[in-house]
Amino acid sequence: MKTDELIDLLNRLLESERSGVKAVSGMLKPLKEGALKDGLKKAKGDEARYVAGLHGFLKRLGVTPSEKIGDFADKLLAIEGIVEQLRFLNRGQGWVARKIEGLLPALTDQAMQDFFTEMLDTHRKNIAWAEKMIEQLSAKVA
Ligand SMILES: [Fe+2]
């Protein structure tokens, strides 16, 4: 992978994760305390950690990290109902996971490999967690 391609992808992931923080923050606002809120708080913390990590790698590569926020959050927050929001969140998280799957074999830097391996694993776990929540919440409504 060429360096400019890597930088481009890191910036896109940075914008996505930043949008993830914004999206989850908005989802959290109306929620009462409970398992759903706890899980989303954790997910928000994860997304924020990846924003910081991606920011750091971009700086290390000598570039100014993008300051944009992906439009994912606005799209998600325009959706009505937490179940549909969770579904949309998982689509976004799935996109990130696929990007990382594509990126990992091209990485030679150990710190980046470790970071993205953990980021992929956490995204998969958070997707599985949200799927469980969708199931539970859908069962309650039905
Ligand atoms: Fe994410």
Side-chain angles (χ1 to χ4, degrees), residues 2 25 33 42 93 96 122 128:
K2 288 190 207 129
S25 297
E33 296 303 324
K42 186 209 164 276
Q93 298 286 63
V96 169
T122 299

Side-chain angles (χ1 to χ4, degrees), residues 18 26 42 49 56 60-61 64 75 78 97 107 111 117 122 142:
R18 195 177 276 139
K42 186 209 164 276
R49 204 150 40 80
R60 230 181 60 189
L61 287 165
T64 307
K75 286 185 189 161
L107 292 175
T117 300
T122 299

Side-chain angles (χ1 to χ4, degrees), residues 62-77:
V63 295
T64 307
S66 166
E67 283 173 17
K68 287 187 207 154
I69 305 179
D71 59 2
F72 175 80
D74 291 335
K75 286 185 189 161
L76 183 145
L77 296 172

Side-chain angles (χ1 to χ4, degrees), residues 16-17 47 50 93 96 119 123:
S16 303
E17 293 302 278
E47 300 286 292
Y50 301 132
Q93 298 286 63
V96 169
M119 184 173 169
H123 273 73

Side-chain angles (χ1 to χ4, degrees), residues 20-141:
V21 174
K22 185 181 170 185
V24 176
S25 297
M27 289 169 84
L28 278 166
K29 261 184 213 157
L31 291 181
K32 287 186 227 126
E33 296 303 324
L36 180 59
K37 191 163 195 168
D38 290 345
L40 283 174
K41 274 188 198 162
K42 186 209 164 276
K44 184 183 161 183
D46 290 333
E47 300 286 292
R49 204 150 40 80
Y50 301 132
V51 168
L54 289 159
H55 199 274
F57 284 125
L58 282 158
K59 286 210 130 177
R60 230 181 60 189
L61 287 165
V63 295
T64 307
S66 166
E67 283 173 17
K68 287 187 207 154
I69 305 179
D71 59 2
F72 175 80
D74 291 335
K75 286 185 189 161
L76 183 145
L77 296 172
I79 296 170
E80 225 173 288
I82 190 73
V83 171
E84 289 310 313
Q85 287 183 339
L86 283 167
R87 286 204 173 101
F88 194 78
L89 180 68
N90 264 1
R91 280 209 286 279
Q93 298 286 63
W95 178 87
V96 169
R98 284 193 302 280
K99 287 286 159 198
I100 300 172
E101 282 163 359
L103 173 65
L104 272 175
L107 292 175
T108 48
D109 181 276
Q110 189 62 50
M112 274 195 168
Q113 263 180 18
D114 293 345
F115 174 83
F116 283 107
T117 300
E118 193 272 337
M119 184 173 169
L120 176 58
D121 184 55
T122 299
H123 273 73
R124 284 176 177 158
K125 281 182 185 149
N126 287 347
I127 289 168
W129 170 82
E131 268 169 14
K132 216 172 67 192
M133 281 291 132
I134 290 166
E135 244 174 64
Q136 285 178 13
L137 291 164
S138 304
K140 263 186 214 164
V141 174

